[in-house]
């Protein structure tokens, strides 16, 4: 199973999935939620599918009846949800501000 490199873009996509972890999401919906173009979003989705964090499922509808193309839905796997929560927590820890041992950062610059 390939390792997933957690970039800010991957973290944004994972955060969207974790907002409703059991709900399938389709590409256009995710593009709207993340503001990512398809050329940025779909490679991320492909990596997450290859890693086993997401499953991709084809919707079972007649395109003529629904008046649009068939959608591919992506959904977190249980192990993917667990890994995503862990990785987002680790990323949050890495970027959190240090304890107040240096003082309080002032808007005009420097520490108080």
């Amino acid at each position: 199973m390939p390792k997933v490199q957690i970039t800010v873009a991957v973290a944004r996509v994972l955060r969207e999935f974790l907002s409703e972890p059991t709900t399938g999401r389709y590409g256009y919906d995710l593009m709207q939620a993340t503001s990512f173009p398809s050329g940025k979003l779909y490679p991320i989705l492909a990596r997450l599918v290859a890693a086993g964090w997401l499953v991709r499922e084809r919707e079972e509808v007649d395109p003529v009846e629904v008046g649009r193309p068939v959608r591919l839905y992506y959904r977190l796997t249980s192990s993917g949800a667990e890994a995503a929560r862990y990785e987002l927590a680790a990323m949050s820890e890495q970027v959190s501000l240090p304890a107040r041992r240096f003082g309080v950062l002032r808007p005009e610059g420097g520490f108080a």
Side-chain angles (χ1 to χ4, degrees), residues 6-14 34 36 40 44 47 91:
I6 306 298
T7 62
V8 172
V10 171
R12 284 181 62 190
V13 171
L14 290 173
T34 62
F36 292 161
K40 184 171 188 172
I44 292 170
R47 287 195 313 264
M91 179 180 253

Side-chain angles (χ1 to χ4, degrees), residues 39-51:
K40 184 171 188 172
L41 177 66
Y42 284 102
I44 292 170
L45 294 174
R47 287 195 313 264
L48 293 171
V49 167

Side-chain angles (χ1 to χ4, degrees), residues 15-76:
R15 188 180 63 200
E16 281 304 316
F17 279 102
L18 287 173
S19 69
E20 298 179 55
T22 60
T23 302
R25 308 285 298 267
Y26 62 97
Y28 185 73
D29 171 46
L30 290 166
M31 287 190 298
Q32 294 294 311
T34 62
S35 299
F36 292 161
S38 61
K40 184 171 188 172
L41 177 66
Y42 284 102
I44 292 170
L45 294 174
R47 287 195 313 264
L48 293 171
V49 167
W53 291 27
L54 296 178
V55 293
R56 183 177 66 191
E57 301 166 327
R58 187 177 190 84
E59 141 181 84
E60 299 291 330
V61 297
D62 178 359
V64 175
E65 272 185 34
V66 294
R68 60 171 170 75
V70 172
R71 292 178 178 158
L72 292 177
Y73 280 89
Y74 297 85
R75 185 178 40 78
L76 275 172

